[in-house]
């Protein structure tokens, strides 16, 4: 039977009218209710259509939304970089997976109450929920490819629409809706759903396991050290850590539990040392290259982490450096190219004081050096990131001249990408690298040198990153989120 899609009745779930709330807990509870109703409706209708064919109608459910109307300018602490809108108006955002984001949403709604004294409206948006994202909440159900059913899926259900799944808000090119409504958050519901699906695919762990403090590395050697530290922590009842999650969502809660080997590693193996409040540490091995660095941060950003740090290896560019020395990035020379369309290279990527202090203090604590003595094993300065792993094989006149003119002290392929995407997504960022070779001075990364280097330095380097993250965990969120990351007119939500 053929159906004319333009004449099909649209069937939607029954939902309550929008309601005003002044209690963040109750507001989030309503979001959860609306979201659950929509996803269960789509799941049931989808299973019915798969079993019985075209339902003879178009099936649609909508994302819930948060909306506020502000008539006056905020009375707020001028040090605060978030939690308020910059001017009177109407502001809204669509919401997905409210249970996953429960703590975050309660916190952000609470800031709105504190700074504007307005209630929030919780209701159904006019943004359809793609069936792919709805059924992702039910692990036993998958959406078939086109042609697997006896009808065209998009004739009955809404499917992901890349035209409305973009980074216009974070890139500063968003245009207000026809009615003047402006964004309340940096990501729309469909953009978040898109990234949550990608995270599961690339990391082989569920988004629910990700913690608020993320370490990126470019070598698998760090993983065994992280696991050893995690086992020690979950064996200590006073550590605050509750479990360790490995690839494939294998979760252990005692230090002697075995973790089975996986038959196929994901593109970006990811591991989580968890706290009950989500304030633990996630380690992501992004591998080598700026493309992977961008991919990982593009998707982790929707989880709104409190900070991310790069703890990888680099080429030392100064003769005074030794293998194993540390580099604390204060600036970045961006020749990675992957973000040029989203964040022009003329945009400076500033160092963030709170992150820099946490890293420097962690180096001092781990090495037992401080003050002027710390300069023996750590340089601060510009880190250059390039998109060519074999850059040293090119004609050296141009590259070396640029590196010298920039005053760069180290070179890698990922750090500038991670920092620049942190700046773009308003996620506090930092970089502490470890010198593993000095190609300009005849010390190439050769197998024998590498093994000795890894044995002595990986554990120390990782511990510095962990110490820094633990210091940030103990710091109030409003102190970590620098005003340097916010533009003239910003969303209220982090």
């Amino acid at each position: 039977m053929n159906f004319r899609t333009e004449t099909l009745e649209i069937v939607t779930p029954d939902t309550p009218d929008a309601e005003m709330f002044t209690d963040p807990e109750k507001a989030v509870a309503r979001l959860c209710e609306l979201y659950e109703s929509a996803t269960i409706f789509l799941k049931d209708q989808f299973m019915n259509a798969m079993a019985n064919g075209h339902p003879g109608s178009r099936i649609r459910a909508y994302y819930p939304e948060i909306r506020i109307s502000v008539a006056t300018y905020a009375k707020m602490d001028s040090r605060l970089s978030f939690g308020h809108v910059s001017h009177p108006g109407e502001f809204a955002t669509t919401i997905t997976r409210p249970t996953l984001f429960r703590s975050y949403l309660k916190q952000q709604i609470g800031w709105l109450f504190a700074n504007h004294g307005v209630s929030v409206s919780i209701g159904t948006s006019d943004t359809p929920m793609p069936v792919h994202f709805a059924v992702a909440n039910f692990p036993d159900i998958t959406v078939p490819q086109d042609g697997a059913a006896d009808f065209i899926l998009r004739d009955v259900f809404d499917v992901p629409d890349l035209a409305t799944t973009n980074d216009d808000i974070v890139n500063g090119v968003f245009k207000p809706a026809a009615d003047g409504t402006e964004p309340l958050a940096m990501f729309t519901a469909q953009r978040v759903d898109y990234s949550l699906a990608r995270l599961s695919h690339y990391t082989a762990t569920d988004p629910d396991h990700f913690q608020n403090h993320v370490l990126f590395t470019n070598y698998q050697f760090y993983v065994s050290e992280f696991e050893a530290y995690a086992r020690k922590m979950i064996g200590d009842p006073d550590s605050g850590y509750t479990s360790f999650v490995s690839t494939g969502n294998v979760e252990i809660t005692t230090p002697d539990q075995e973790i089975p080997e996986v038959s196929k590693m994901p593109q970006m193996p990811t591991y989580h040392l968890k706290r009950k409040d989500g304030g633990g540490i996630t380690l992501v091995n992004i591998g080598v290259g700026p493309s992977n660095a961008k991919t990982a941060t593009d998707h982790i950003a929707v989880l709104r982490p409190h900070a991310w740090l790069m703890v990888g290896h680099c080429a030392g560019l100064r003769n005074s450096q030794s293998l194993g020395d540390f580099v604390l990035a204060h600036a970045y020379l961006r020749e990675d190219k992957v973000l040029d369309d989203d964040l022009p290279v003329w945009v400076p990527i500033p160092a963030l004081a709170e992150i820099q202090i946490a890293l420097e203090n962690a180096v001092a604590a781990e090495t037992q050096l401080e003050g002027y003595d710390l300069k023996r094993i750590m340089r601060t300065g510009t880190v250059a990131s390039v998109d060519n792993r074999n850059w040293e094989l090119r004609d050296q006149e141009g590259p070396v001249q640029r590196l010298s003119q920039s005053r760069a002290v180290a070179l890698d392929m990922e750090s500038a990408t991670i920092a620049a995407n942190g700046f773009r997504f308003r996620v506090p960022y930092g970089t502490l690298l470890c010198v593993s070779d000095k190609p300009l001075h005849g010390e190439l990364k050769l197998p024998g040198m590498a093994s000795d280097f890894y044995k002595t330095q990986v554990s120390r380097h990782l511990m510095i990153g962990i110490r820094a993250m633990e210091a940030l965990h103990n710091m109030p969120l409003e102190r970590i989120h620098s005003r340097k990351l916010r533009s003239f007119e910003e969303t209220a939500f982090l």
Side-chain angles (χ1 to χ4, degrees):
M1 182 181 297
N2 293 322
F3 295 91
R4 294 186 60 185
T5 57
E6 66 270 19
T7 61
L8 290 180
E9 175 192 8
I10 297 177
V11 177
T12 61
D14 293 329
T15 56
D17 293 335
E19 185 176 345
M20 306 301 289
F21 291 88
T22 56
D23 182 335
E25 185 77 44
K26 292 180 179 179
V28 175
R30 174 57 59 86
L31 287 170
C32 293
E33 176 188 333
L34 292 173
Y35 179 78
E36 182 179 10
S37 172
T39 54
I40 290 176
F41 171 81
L42 287 175
K43 182 261 295 184
D44 290 345
Q45 293 289 337
F46 173 76
M47 293 181 68
N48 177 66
M50 290 299 103
N52 302 311
H54 198 301
S57 58
R58 185 165 183 82
I59 309 300
R60 175 167 289 166
Y62 298 91
Y63 285 109
E65 74 168 9
I66 303 173
R67 180 175 291 268
I68 64 169
S69 181
V70 178
T72 61
Y73 288 91
K75 294 181 179 180
M76 40 151 293
D77 187 336
S78 63
R79 297 169 296 180
L80 191 64
S81 69
F82 62 92
H84 55 88
V85 295
S86 60
H87 57 268
E90 191 90 2
F91 302 84
T93 186
T94 49
I95 298 295
T96 189
R97 299 284 297 275
T99 301
L100 172 63
F101 291 99
R102 182 184 293 273
S103 295
Y104 166 80
L105 290 169
K106 286 194 297 184
Q107 181 187 64
Q108 302 306 307
I109 293 172
W111 282 110
L112 290 178
F113 293 152
N115 290 318
H116 291 285
V118 297
S119 55
V120 297
S121 171
I122 305 297
T124 301
S125 74
D126 58 4
T127 300
M129 182 183 297
V131 68
H132 300 70
F133 297 148
V135 302
N137 292 278
F138 307 93
D140 296 334
I141 304 175
T142 58
V143 177
Q145 298 290 333
D146 280 343
D150 62 359
F151 61 90
I152 298 174
L153 190 70
R154 65 186 63 219
D155 282 348
V156 176
F157 297 95
D158 293 291
V159 299
D161 182 5
L162 292 181
T164 57
T165 306
N166 52 55
D167 285 329
D168 286 357
I169 300 172
V170 294
N171 287 345
V173 297
F174 176 84
K175 298 294 191 296
D179 64 358
T181 300
E182 299 182 64
L184 189 60
M186 293 186 186
F187 298 104
T188 61
Q190 59 268 43
R191 170 65 169 84
V192 174
D193 270 335
Y194 169 80
S195 281
L196 295 181
R198 289 296 179 95
L199 275 180
S200 295
H201 172 72
Y202 285 121
T203 71
T205 55
D206 291 339
D208 309 61
H209 294 308
F210 275 78
Q211 301 295 286
N212 288 329
H213 307 92
V214 183
L215 291 174
F216 296 103
T217 188
N218 49 13
Y219 282 95
Q220 185 69 14
F221 298 96
Y222 286 77
V223 171
S224 59
E225 293 293 334
F226 188 62
E227 181 180 334
Y229 177 80
R231 288 181 180 275
K232 181 180 177 181
M233 290 298 101
I234 61 178
D236 178 359
D238 297 323
S239 71
Y241 294 105
T242 56
S243 65
F244 175 68
V245 178
S246 184
T247 302
N249 295 310
V250 176
E251 187 165 7
I252 63 172
T253 56
T254 59
D256 56 350
Q257 284 182 259
E258 291 188 7
I259 297 176
E261 290 192 17
V262 296
S263 58
K264 183 180 179 181
M265 292 294 284
Q267 184 172 340
M268 299 177 194
T270 300
Y271 309 84
H272 313 275
L273 178 55
K274 298 174 67 173
R275 292 181 186 266
K276 287 184 178 179
D277 61 357
I281 301 171
T282 288
L283 176 72
V284 186
N285 177 14
I286 55 175
V288 177
S291 180
N292 276 4
K294 180 181 184 298
T295 297
T297 48
D298 276 350
H299 301 312
I300 292 174
V302 305
L303 297 173
R304 308 316 295 147
H306 294 174
W308 62 41
L309 305 178
M310 177 66 184
V311 285
H313 293 172
C314 67
L317 300 179
R318 303 302 180 94
N319 196 39
S320 58
Q321 291 170 304
S322 300
L323 299 187
D325 281 358
F326 297 112
V327 175
L328 177 59
H330 274 347
Y332 301 89
L333 173 62
R334 294 172 52 202
E335 296 198 351
D336 51 330
K337 299 184 175 64
V338 293
L339 279 168
D340 292 0
D341 291 337
D342 293 309
L343 192 71
V345 293
W346 52 260
V347 175
I349 309 299
L352 306 180
E354 292 77 13
I355 305 293
Q356 301 299 98
I357 291 170
L359 282 169
E360 185 167 344
N361 287 345
V363 176
E366 191 64 26
T367 62
Q368 296 298 297
L369 297 171
E370 58 183 23
Y372 191 61
D373 287 338
L374 197 58
K375 291 179 177 290
R376 295 176 182 174
I377 53 93
M378 187 180 78
R379 294 286 295 265
T380 59
T382 297
V383 169
S385 290
V386 299
D387 61 351
N388 179 5
R389 177 61 187 85
N390 299 312
W391 64 275
E392 59 263 52
L393 300 182
R394 296 178 56 199
D395 174 13
Q396 291 299 299
E397 183 175 347
V400 172
Q401 181 179 355
R402 291 198 304 278
L403 291 171
S404 179
Q405 288 175 324
S406 73
R407 312 300 193 266
V409 297
L411 180 146
D412 76 347
M413 299 185 70
E414 301 87 21
S415 293
T417 308
I418 288 170
N421 240 6
F423 180 86
R424 186 165 74 103
F425 291 127
R426 288 74 161 173
V427 175
Y429 52 85
T431 300
L432 184 79
L433 301 177
C434 196
V435 176
S436 60
D437 60 334
K438 295 169 57 182
L440 297 183
H441 307 284
E443 294 190 60
L444 302 179
K445 189 179 293 183
L446 301 175
M449 294 167 56
S451 61
D452 289 340
F453 165 77
Y454 295 140
K455 288 176 183 177
T456 58
Q457 285 302 102
V458 165
S459 179
R460 171 184 271 189
H461 191 196
L462 179 64
M463 277 309 305
I464 291 169
I466 290 172
R467 281 180 180 268
M469 286 306 201
E470 289 178 339
L472 293 172
H473 171 260
N474 294 324
M475 187 180 297
L477 186 61
E478 52 268 33
R479 282 193 58 193
I480 299 174
H481 281 266
S482 172
R483 289 174 295 179
K484 294 178 184 176
L485 300 182
R486 313 292 279 186
S487 60
F488 296 163
E489 295 186 2
E490 280 288 339
T491 62
F493 286 12
L494 277 179

